[in-house]
Amino acid sequence: MKFIIDNWMLIAVALSAGLMLMMPMIKGVGQGSLTPDGAVQLINREKAVLIDICEPNEFAAGHPIGAKNIPMGQLEGKLAATVKNKALPVILVCQSGARSSRAVAIAKKLGFENVQSLSGGLGAWRSANLPVEKA
């Protein structure tokens, strides 16, 4: 008991550090995001639609095979026309995964039930040695 009283500050720091390390699991970070392998499984098993939200010049430089291009700024206007069935899984991809994770909220607002972002974006896709095409 004396140890706890004498070192209460160190114990508090250790507990808070442990809590911060556990926060991603507690909060469910990664909700709405997929690994490249998970994306391929979703495409193959559930006919997921792959939407690249990069600008046209980025899309032309390289994108996952079969991806459709809808730039982030046009997502609200064009997503419903591109993906008619809102129950189909939709995978959003960009260069790094940052824009696509923000775009998940836009797609959900439009009524798409199963929307996920490719975590790590095109870089993770390439790192997993998955096919990329240029337009």
Side-chain angles (χ1 to χ4, degrees), residues 15-94:
L15 289 174
S16 63
L19 182 63
M20 284 189 260
L21 288 172
M22 296 295 290
M23 282 303 272
M25 289 191 309
I26 293 168
K27 287 172 80 176
V29 171
Q31 260 183 342
S33 66
L34 276 176
T35 63
D37 292 336
V40 169
Q41 287 180 358
L42 205 56
I43 291 166
N44 290 338
R45 292 183 182 161
E46 299 183 36
K47 306 295 183 219
V49 180
L50 194 57
I51 304 290
D52 191 318
I53 62 164
C54 294
E55 295 302 315
N57 60 338
E58 294 173 309
F59 183 78
H63 57 273
I65 289 181
K68 298 174 183 164
N69 183 229
I70 304 175
M72 176 84 162
Q74 300 171 7
L75 193 62
E76 280 190 61
K78 291 187 174 182
L79 185 60
T82 305
V83 183
K84 305 272 190 233
N85 185 354
K86 292 186 177 185
L88 274 178
V90 176
I91 303 168
L92 301 174
V93 62
C94 65

Side-chain angles (χ1 to χ4, degrees), residues 32-34 42 90-93 100 104 108 114-118:
S33 66
L34 276 176
L42 205 56
V90 176
I91 303 168
L92 301 174
V93 62
S100 60
V104 167
K108 286 192 177 188
N114 189 1
V115 182
Q116 298 184 353
S117 169
L118 181 66

